[in-house]
Amino acid sequence: MSTANSQVAISSIRRLLVANRGEIARRVFRTAHDMGIETVAVFAEGDADAPFVREAGQAVSLKGRTPAESYLDIAKVLDAARITGADAVHPGYGFLAENTDFAQAVIDAGLVWVGPPPNAIASMGDKLAAKAMMVAADVPTLATEEIDASTDLAAAAQAIGYPVLVKASAGGGGKGMRVVESEAELAEAVAGAQREAESSFGNGTVFFEKYLRTPRHVEIQVLGDQHGNLVHLFERECSIQRRHQKVIEEAPSPGITEALRDEMGSAALSASQAIGYYSAGTVEFLVDGEGDDASFWFLEVNTRIQVEHPVTEEVTGIDLVREQIRVAQGEPLGYGQSDLSMSGHAIEARLYAEDPANGFLPAIGTLHAFESPSGLGARIDTGVESGSVVGVEFDPMLAKVIVHAPTRVEAANRLALVLDKLVIAGVTTNRDFLVATLRTDEFLAGDTTTDFIERVQPRAVFEPNGSAVREAAVAATLFAQSQNRVAAKALAFMGSGWRNSSMPAERRMFESGERELTVHYRPIRSGGFSVNVGSDQSMVAEVIDVDLDAGRIMIETNGLRRESYVTRVGDGWVVQGVEGAVELRDVARFPDHDSVDVAGGQTAPMPGRIVSIHVAVGDQVNAGQTLVMMEAMKMEHTITAPADAVVTDLRCAVDDQVDNGQVLVVLEEPQGAEASG
């Protein structure tokens, strides 16, 4: 699709400021450096030691800790561009990437904006207005109902038909969204979505949209230049989601036929042309049904590069960041739709610091180990490294892991293997959940609708069996023994474990979940160790190789060699072996009398702010009843009663900032409950 424009001046970007952080900043830097462009980073206080800051040619502190004090402060970002002599700004995704005022401010400052025209961003910034434009452009859309103070919620929902999706007009990323199944849920869902939307986007406007239970989420990558040329780079499927946020994306979609691909591609180009789009962007659709008979509806246009853009790059061979920069410089694309094709299959998994076993709540902590496997042909886009701190201020994504292979099944299997072999310790992640998802029969068969997680219920966490725990305990024991030997100051020239007399076996005691086990070990003449775990029969274990700096140890037992990665974390260990990662805790000789739990205490699942309190001291509550609402990482979380109980103490107030594990509400079993049972 092309309409010529010969009035565009061609300019060359010399120094590019990336108004973002983490893996997207590193991603943009990589392409910019390949193109010979100098780079500038901006950073919040908590990011001062982050890898992306070191990789930039210059870096400017934004002198703030929260997003509002740093990456969302337009004046600070523009001042950083001025003092570093940057002549262009790339917004990445998130933060100010789809902020019309920021795009216009960059242009007004005489800088090159690496993105679409501000009016295109503005036209798609309000989802209700965007839907109206798509209707005018003959792009299929779902019916909607706008909500304001005068709206009859029940009537509006009835007009749409249950289930209804409450959705923020100004946002994305799953924030400000609620699925409503009945009229009884409406008021609370609307109020919660409005609060979350206001907190995340500064705009509490929400609307109703028909909720499709089992669609596919399919998006079309578009790319246009300032000369009127516009192409699409085919589709990505992003149906594997939790809390309406994507976790696995792939290209091409396993559920799209060639005819439907052409139809959706044409619709995406029509949508883009309607708003005068250029640069990289994405038109998102919901697809219902299978084969050529499937129907699709417009969802939204993302006027920026997407988190999942690597899968498109892998199957098309086109560097989308490079194209963004070329377009911003005024260059024509230089190719048309017929020049584009896909090769093989690419899948991306988003590795998050979150707890799948606890509703996918974000997790925080220090990454004591984060090492990528080598030799498996994976692309890992990450903003963290060993020693990085995952806090509450920013999105908890650790990395995007991408694999490209000749077939979809090969890509899924290799991606699962790469994730399995990532060395991660110190922070709870969704790694095991991702691996389990990729290996399900349903995923491998392409049965990937948006209800996948609820319907298939992939294993949330790896639960090691007794054999895996024993193997981990032996690895941790012998690794610690190697550490102690290296640190020994006396008789360091003697072999490890050497004794001049018969001595009792040494021992280490561990806990893993509900298991408690003791490892006894003593050196033997062959140079190895006689080891037994608990009442197991003794075995000979020989340390074949150990790298204390890398945390790697290879142990041979009964002719079988296995490699493990061992990381010390607090008072315990994380041992990553063949079967998976096992957490071990050292058993203390004496109890910790300072560590006392409050019986019946309902605690904060993470640091955050108390939004509302729904009970008072003396109230009788039922199982599942809401006690407290809190906000963390721009999402609302509900603390509920685990059983029928009486509130005996409230230890928080509205607007309190609370820590992870802090007791919020104390409950007691109602009097007479035992007798009545």
Side-chain angles (χ1 to χ4, degrees):
M1 189 176 289
S2 172
T3 51
N5 181 359
S6 59
Q7 304 303 310
V8 179
I10 307 296
S11 60
S12 180
I13 294 173
R14 183 177 65 87
R15 184 172 295 153
L16 177 66
L17 182 147
V18 179
N20 220 292
R21 65 182 295 277
E23 60 89 12
I24 186 57
R26 297 181 84 186
R27 166 70 191 91
V28 176
F29 291 163
R30 185 168 67 244
T31 289
H33 294 157
D34 286 346
M35 297 176 72
I37 297 172
E38 298 176 30
T39 53
V40 177
V42 291
F43 61 94
E45 290 174 9
D47 284 335
D49 298 321
F52 80 93
V53 177
R54 295 196 302 269
E55 291 175 7
Q58 299 183 70
V60 179
S61 171
L62 296 175
K63 301 188 183 304
R65 179 161 289 276
T66 68
E69 296 167 344
S70 55
Y71 300 105
L72 292 174
D73 191 317
I74 294 175
K76 287 183 179 179
V77 173
L78 290 179
D79 194 49
R82 179 186 59 78
I83 64 177
T84 58
D87 52 11
V89 173
H90 192 302
Y93 57 77
F95 294 136
L96 296 169
E98 293 178 286
N99 185 303
T100 306
D101 293 339
F102 180 54
Q104 191 60 59
V106 169
I107 295 169
D108 291 345
L111 304 172
V112 175
W113 167 250
V114 185
N119 62 328
I121 300 174
S123 66
M124 293 294 104
D126 185 306
K127 289 183 171 60
L128 286 167
K131 283 177 175 286
M133 292 187 70
M134 294 304 106
V135 170
D138 292 327
V139 177
T141 61
L142 291 168
T144 59
E145 291 281 343
E146 184 173 358
I147 304 302
D148 58 30
S150 64
T151 301
D152 183 331
L153 297 181
Q158 196 65 40
I160 294 290
Y162 291 101
V164 168
L165 182 64
V166 185
K167 199 170 182 180
S169 179
K175 296 179 177 66
M177 295 176 70
R178 302 286 192 279
V179 178
V180 181
E181 299 283 354
S182 67
E183 185 176 334
E185 304 170 17
L186 271 178
E188 185 174 341
V190 169
Q194 287 174 329
R195 283 194 304 269
E196 204 166 85
E198 181 67 38
S199 172
S200 297
F201 315 116
N203 182 343
T205 304
V206 299
F207 62 93
F208 288 159
E209 181 179 83
K210 178 63 180 175
Y211 179 69
L212 302 177
R213 291 190 185 276
T214 60
R216 292 179 186 270
H217 186 132
V218 180
E219 58 192 31
I220 304 292
Q221 175 71 58
V222 296
L223 187 62
D225 62 25
Q226 298 184 60
H227 302 269
N229 301 300
L230 190 63
V231 298
H232 71 79
L233 281 73
F234 314 106
E235 85 280 357
R236 299 183 288 258
E237 179 167 328
C238 314
S239 299
I240 310 297
Q241 304 178 3
R242 87 281 187 266
R243 299 198 313 266
H244 307 291
Q245 291 180 300
K246 307 163 187 173
V247 288
I248 294 178
E249 302 100 350
E250 58 183 310
S253 165
I256 300 299
T257 64
E258 196 64 44
L260 188 60
R261 176 176 295 120
D262 291 343
E263 191 177 351
M264 293 179 69
S266 295
L269 292 178
S270 295
S272 303
Q273 192 173 42
I275 61 175
Y277 200 85
Y278 59 77
S279 192
T282 302
V283 185
E284 300 195 350
F285 297 97
L286 294 178
V287 178
D288 201 22
E290 298 295 329
D292 292 340
D293 295 330
S295 300
F296 64 91
W297 291 274
F298 171 81
L299 187 60
E300 62 183 340
V301 175
N302 288 293
T303 54
R304 52 172 167 78
I305 199 162
Q306 293 274 89
V307 178
E308 59 270 23
H309 76 274
V311 294
T312 295
E313 294 182 325
E314 294 296 318
V315 296
T316 63
I318 291 178
D319 183 330
L320 289 170
V321 174
R322 177 175 180 269
E323 297 307 296
Q324 283 187 299
I325 294 172
R326 289 183 59 243
V327 167
Q329 292 179 150
E331 300 176 38
L333 292 180
Y335 48 83
Q337 193 65 53
S338 62
D339 299 311
L340 300 172
S341 63
M342 288 188 287
S343 174
H345 202 97
I347 307 178
E348 171 182 295
R350 301 190 193 185
L351 182 67
Y352 283 98
E354 65 181 14
D355 187 358
N358 191 23
F360 293 96
L361 288 177
I364 61 172
T366 299
L367 279 167
H368 293 275
F370 189 84
E371 300 294 337
S372 304
S374 59
L376 293 177
R379 167 178 169 179
I380 300 179
D381 289 4
T382 181
V384 301
E385 60 189 0
S386 296
S388 292
V389 176
V390 182
V392 298
E393 290 90 359
F394 305 111
D395 185 271
M397 189 170 72
L398 302 177
K400 304 181 307 193
V401 185
I402 310 103
V403 162
H404 179 238
T407 69
R408 183 174 183 273
V409 171
E410 287 179 73
N413 287 336
R414 182 145 54 88
L415 179 54
L417 181 62
V418 171
L419 288 165
D420 247 346
K421 290 188 173 295
L422 271 172
V423 178
I424 309 169
V427 176
T428 301
T429 75
N430 66 337
R431 184 254 299 275
D432 295 336
F433 166 78
L434 295 172
V435 171
T437 297
L438 292 163
R439 288 175 174 163
T440 60
D441 292 339
E442 291 84 355
F443 184 87
L444 293 173
D447 183 10
T448 51
T449 48
T450 54
D451 65 335
F452 182 93
I453 293 176
E454 294 77 14
R455 172 168 53 87
V456 178
Q457 296 187 345
R459 181 193 70 195
V461 295
F462 167 63
E463 296 180 356
N465 57 27
S467 175
V469 173
R470 288 191 294 273
E471 183 180 322
V474 171
T477 296
L478 297 186
F479 187 84
Q481 196 277 338
S482 297
Q483 285 183 316
N484 292 339
R485 189 59 195 159
V486 168
K489 302 208 182 321
L491 305 177
F493 62 90
M494 292 183 178
S496 179
W498 184 90
R499 298 288 186 272
N500 64 356
S501 62
S502 178
M503 299 288 289
E506 298 188 64
R507 68 176 184 174
R508 293 189 73 95
M509 298 173 64
F510 301 101
E511 287 180 343
S512 177
E514 299 300 317
R515 298 184 180 95
E516 186 170 306
L517 59 166
T518 301
V519 179
H520 293 88
Y521 64 103
R522 70 169 74 236
I524 56 178
R525 290 183 180 276
S526 66
F529 293 87
S530 174
V531 178
N532 72 287
V533 182
S535 59
D536 289 356
Q537 185 176 358
S538 294
M539 59 183 173
V540 175
E542 184 176 356
V543 177
I544 302 300
D545 187 30
V546 62
D547 183 337
L548 297 179
D549 291 333
R552 183 178 60 83
I553 186 169
M554 180 175 288
I555 299 171
E556 180 178 311
T557 56
N558 300 323
L560 175 62
R561 293 185 180 186
R562 286 190 165 181
E563 185 177 66
S564 299
Y565 285 84
V566 182
T567 307
R568 184 68 156 161
V569 179
D571 61 352
W573 307 82
V574 175
V575 181
Q576 191 162 323
V578 174
E579 302 298 330
V582 177
E583 294 187 12
L584 301 169
R585 293 181 303 279
D586 289 321
V587 175
R589 292 190 175 190
F590 305 102
D592 181 1
H593 295 291
D594 293 330
S595 178
V596 180
D597 292 332
V598 177
Q602 300 308 296
T603 60
M606 68 186 71
R609 180 180 68 87
I610 301 300
V611 173
S612 59
I613 297 173
H614 295 256
V615 293
V617 173
D619 284 357
Q620 291 198 352
V621 295
N622 300 319
Q625 183 174 333
T626 298
L627 305 175
V628 173
M629 298 283 289
M630 62 178 291
E631 180 189 68
M633 294 184 175
K634 300 297 183 182
M635 300 287 282
E636 285 193 350
H637 306 279
T638 304
I639 313 301
T640 61
D644 294 350
V646 175
V647 178
T648 60
D649 194 9
L650 280 176
R651 300 191 178 184
C652 62
V654 173
D655 287 331
D656 278 359
Q657 292 291 328
V658 296
D659 291 329
N660 181 37
Q662 182 174 328
V663 175
L664 307 178
V665 182
V666 180
L667 304 176
E668 283 187 3
E669 187 177 347
Q671 289 185 356
E674 208 173 290
S676 64

